[in-house]
């Protein structure tokens, strides 16, 4: 998919999903145009701007990849990136009082492929904890956000927050990005339900 097509698809899927405008509005600027295509996949299954998954498919950290930015002012090889996976629907879409829940944060990424404990360069700031919506909850939406780091960027896990379950609640990627000079350059998203969730029949919707 070309970056232009990716951009058009991103915009057309965010609106009907009520992500933008909506739950993700604080995170994604109104005029946001990605400068790279952020690809994410669980095993061999790709996240394609709204793909539906079950929690059991997301137990292990996904593979991340992205090409160099389509921005001539960015020095390829000298620029690194921070990746955030967050849930705007925690604990449930009907009562997202813990949005945005912090699932995974990795800094120091370079264009190319990154796999936890595998290929690519990156520093884990928050350990991966897969989506876990309850079986009686509507599917949650999950946002994958890629930010360009400023020159000489340094950060520690403490700067992000603790690893405990309750410490991951109410994390604001937009405020975190503003505080550390990060610029949003790529977005992807998916939905996920519990393994036992049953989709309502057309009559029940």
């Amino acid at each position: 998919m070309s970056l232009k097509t990716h951009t058009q698809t991103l915009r057309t899927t965010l609106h009907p999903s009520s992500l933008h405008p909506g739950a993700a509005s604080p995170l994604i600027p109104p005029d946001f145009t990605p400068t790279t295509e952020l690809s994410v996949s669980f095993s061999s299954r790709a996240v394609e701007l709204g793909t539906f998954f079950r929690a059991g498919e997301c137990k292990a950290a996904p593979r991340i990849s992205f090409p160099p930015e389509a921005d001539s002012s960015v020095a390829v090889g000298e620029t690194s990136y921070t990746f955030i996976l967050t849930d705007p629907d925690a604990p449930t879409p009907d009562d997202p009082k813990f949005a945005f829940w912090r699932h995974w944060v990795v800094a120091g990424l370079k264009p190319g492929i990154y796999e936890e404990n595998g290929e690519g360069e990156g520093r884990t700031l928050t350990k991966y904890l897969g989506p876990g919506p309850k079986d009686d909850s509507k599917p949650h939406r999950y946002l994958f956000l890629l930010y360009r780091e400023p020159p000489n960027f340094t950060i520690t896990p403490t700067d992000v927050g603790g690893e405990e379950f309750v410490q991951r609640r109410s994390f604001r990627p937009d405020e975190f990005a503003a505080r550390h000079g990060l610029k949003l350059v790529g977005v992807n998203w998916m939905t996920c339900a519990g393994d036992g969730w049953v989709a309502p029949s057309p009559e029940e919707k």
Side-chain angles (χ1 to χ4, degrees):
M1 183 185 300
S2 69
L3 184 58
K4 181 178 180 180
T5 301
H6 171 74
T7 300
Q8 293 171 339
T9 305
L10 175 64
R11 289 172 175 167
T12 57
T13 60
L14 287 176
H15 182 74
S17 68
S18 298
L19 278 170
H20 197 261
S25 292
L27 309 189
I28 305 174
D31 58 349
F32 173 68
T33 298
T35 51
T36 188
E37 182 177 351
L38 175 60
S39 297
V40 180
S41 60
F42 290 92
S43 296
S44 59
R45 191 167 178 223
V47 175
E48 297 178 335
L49 300 174
T51 310
F52 174 77
F53 285 82
R54 295 283 184 174
E57 299 178 275
C58 308
K59 296 295 185 184
R63 180 190 196 195
I64 305 166
S65 65
F66 58 96
E69 287 186 72
D71 184 338
S72 59
S73 67
V74 176
V76 178
E78 299 178 15
T79 306
S80 55
Y81 300 82
T82 291
F83 172 91
I84 297 174
L85 168 56
T86 187
D87 176 2
D89 293 325
T92 70
D94 293 327
D95 183 24
K97 60 186 177 182
F98 297 141
F100 296 82
W101 208 84
R102 175 167 42 94
H103 278 272
W104 194 27
V105 182
V106 182
L109 296 170
K110 297 291 186 180
I113 297 170
Y114 175 78
E115 292 181 292
E116 192 173 53
N117 303 318
E119 185 175 354
E121 179 181 346
R123 294 180 291 109
T124 298
L125 300 178
T126 295
K127 294 178 182 178
Y128 178 77
L129 188 59
K134 304 296 185 184
D135 288 346
D136 59 356
S137 169
K138 296 175 183 176
H140 289 212
R141 298 160 298 175
Y142 293 85
L143 284 163
F144 303 87
L145 307 168
L146 186 70
Y147 295 89
R148 184 195 308 142
E149 298 172 356
N152 304 312
F153 180 68
T154 58
I155 197 168
T156 68
T158 303
D159 296 321
V160 182
E163 294 280 0
E164 297 298 324
F165 191 87
V166 296
Q167 293 175 314
R168 293 173 180 244
R169 297 173 176 174
S170 305
F171 174 74
R172 291 293 301 268
D174 55 330
E175 296 176 1
F176 175 78
R179 188 161 60 247
H180 295 284
L182 302 171
K183 179 178 175 57
L184 185 66
V185 298
V187 174
N188 206 332
W189 71 280
M190 70 179 192
T191 61
C192 183
D195 293 337
W197 178 75
V198 178
S201 66
E203 294 78 16
E204 296 175 310
K205 289 184 179 179

